[in-house]
């Protein structure tokens, strides 16, 4: 978690999960890139569904880069099946354009391994939406992150949360990063509601992908984490004005600072010793930001 606040570079705002007319989204890829560029994003990854019925699209968005805006090549990968019978959804950012379609009967574990070996940043997409369990997740090779918030699933079904899975994996010694995404399809009420802030040396696909793999990022719906660092036996935090600053860890372990317009907090670490913790900040409106878990 601390990589995002102690490493060199600048924070860049990006969306790592969205769709276009190349699969089941409404706008063309060009319009998707223009939408986020106008909204002030520094980068996006267009992740259309990598499925046979859509022609296994891996959309080359390089032509839409420039003037402080860049793109990663990505896709949402699918394989059979979860324990509950649902099809797997894996987010892969930073894929090569020649990434091969899944073979007949290829498992999610094998597909995830191929994406990882190809250099992608791999995320468990919207776990709350389709009932992904910790047993499902641990059947995969170690991936990079979990969507703790998916705006499309929240907007359409009220099942946008995924932090339950992030915590269960950390409890089992498999801490992953925390992402917030739009998963935009319609570009209406689901758009621009969740994003990632990546600390990168420059706004290029290579630098962003390297920063993601290094854990130099946090997820947000609006609140900002300006700085966080360990000072003695406490975590010192600087944020935009919020009403709650939580530190949560294994089981029911937690610490909190509350108030109107809190911008600085110091949270005790002793109760998390020997385990893990992660930072969450929240506004009264309900908007939150999440750090990655870190060892204490």
């Amino acid at each position: 978690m601390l990589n995002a606040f102690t490493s060199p570079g600048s924070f860049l705002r990006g969306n790592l999960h969205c769709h276009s007319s190349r699969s089941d989204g409404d706008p063309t890829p060009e319009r998707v890139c223009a939408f986020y560029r106008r909204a002030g994003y520094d980068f996006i990854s267009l992740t259309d569904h990598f499925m046979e019925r859509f022609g296994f699209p891996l959309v080359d968005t390089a032509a839409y880069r420039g003037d402080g805006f860049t793109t990663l090549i990505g896709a949402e990968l699918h394989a059979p099946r979860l324990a509950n019978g649902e099809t797997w959804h894996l987010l892969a950012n930073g894929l090569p354009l020649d990434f091969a379609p899944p073979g007949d009967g290829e498992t999610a574990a094998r597909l995830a391994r191929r994406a990882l070996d190809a250099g992608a940043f791999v995320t468990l997409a919207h776990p709350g939406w389709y009932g992904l369990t910790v047993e499902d997740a641990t059947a995969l090779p170690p991936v990079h992150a979990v969507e703790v918030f998916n705006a499309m699933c929240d907007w359409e079904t009220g099942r946008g949360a995924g932090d339950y899975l992030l915590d269960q994996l950390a409890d089992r010694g498999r801490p992953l990063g925390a992402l917030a995404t739009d998963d935009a399809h319609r570009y209406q009420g689901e758009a621009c509601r969740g994003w990632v802030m990546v600390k990168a040396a420059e706004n290029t696909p290579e630098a962003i992908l390297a920063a993601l793999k290094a854990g130099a990022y946090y997820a947000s719906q609006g609140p900002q984490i300006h700085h966080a660092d360990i000072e003695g036996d406490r975590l010192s935090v600087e944020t935009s004005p919020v009403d709650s600053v939580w530190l949560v860890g294994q089981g029911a372990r937690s610490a909190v600072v509350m108030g109107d317009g809190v911008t600085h907090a110091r949270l005790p670490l002793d109760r998390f010793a020997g385990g893990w913790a992660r930072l969450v900040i929240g506004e009264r409106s309900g908007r939150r930001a999440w750090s990655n878990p870190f060892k204490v």
Side-chain angles (χ1 to χ4, degrees):
M1 181 272 280
L2 300 181
N3 286 352
F5 311 104
T6 59
S7 61
S10 302
F11 277 116
L12 302 172
R13 181 189 183 193
N15 180 31
L16 293 174
H17 191 174
C18 57
H19 298 272
S20 78
S21 58
R22 289 293 303 275
S23 62
D24 61 346
D26 287 346
T28 63
E30 181 178 12
R31 288 177 57 213
V32 171
C33 291
F35 173 88
Y36 282 105
R37 192 169 182 169
R38 286 194 304 269
Y41 281 65
D42 299 298
F43 69 93
I44 67 162
S45 183
L46 180 59
T47 52
D48 277 309
H49 294 283
F50 197 61
M51 304 175 77
E52 184 176 13
R53 65 189 174 106
F54 299 120
F56 295 110
L58 266 172
V59 184
D60 188 352
T61 53
Y64 312 125
R65 298 169 183 165
D67 296 330
F69 178 82
T70 197
T71 64
L72 304 182
I73 305 302
E76 188 169 353
L77 309 179
H78 303 278
R81 297 198 175 266
L82 306 185
N84 65 8
E86 295 284 349
T87 300
W88 273 95
H89 294 246
L90 298 171
L91 200 62
N93 306 111
L95 285 171
L97 287 168
D98 62 354
F99 186 75
D104 289 342
E106 184 170 17
T107 64
R110 174 60 185 154
L111 186 59
R113 172 48 60 196
R114 280 207 299 120
L116 291 165
D117 290 346
F121 180 81
V122 179
T123 300
L124 302 172
H126 45 60
W129 172 68
Y130 71 135
L132 186 67
T133 67
V134 69
E135 289 77 20
D136 292 318
T138 52
L140 300 182
V143 297
H144 294 104
V146 175
E147 282 186 344
V148 296
F149 177 74
N150 179 295
M152 184 71 179
C153 295
D154 180 70
W155 186 53
E156 283 199 335
T157 71
R159 287 180 163 182
D163 49 356
Y164 75 93
L165 184 62
L166 187 71
D167 290 349
Q168 290 179 20
L169 286 167
D171 284 347
R172 285 160 176 77
R174 295 184 66 168
L176 301 183
L179 289 191
T181 70
D182 281 348
D183 191 8
H185 289 66
R186 309 282 85 82
Y187 296 83
Q188 298 175 12
E190 84 280 24
C192 301
R193 290 183 56 205
W195 53 86
V196 63
M197 298 295 293
V198 178
K199 188 78 165 294
E202 55 185 350
N203 192 8
T204 64
E206 297 79 12
I208 292 167
L209 190 60
L212 286 167
K213 290 180 180 180
Y217 61 91
Y218 70 92
S220 183
Q221 297 170 312
Q224 299 174 52
I225 306 173
H226 297 311
H227 188 73
D229 204 357
I230 294 173
E231 297 179 357
D233 61 353
R234 293 182 179 269
L235 182 72
S236 179
V237 181
E238 299 174 16
T239 71
S240 60
V242 294
D243 298 284
S244 299
V245 180
W246 298 280
L247 199 59
V248 298
Q250 187 168 357
R253 299 179 192 180
S254 65
V256 64
V257 172
M258 294 183 177
D260 293 328
V262 173
T263 58
H264 295 77
R266 298 185 75 241
L267 297 142
L269 291 171
D270 57 335
R271 68 197 64 177
F272 304 95
W276 59 271
R278 61 182 179 87
L279 177 67
V280 187
I281 63 174
E283 298 173 343
R284 190 162 295 163
S285 65
R287 299 194 307 171
R288 295 187 175 188
W290 303 261
S291 82
N292 296 327
F294 63 99
K295 291 183 179 179
V296 181

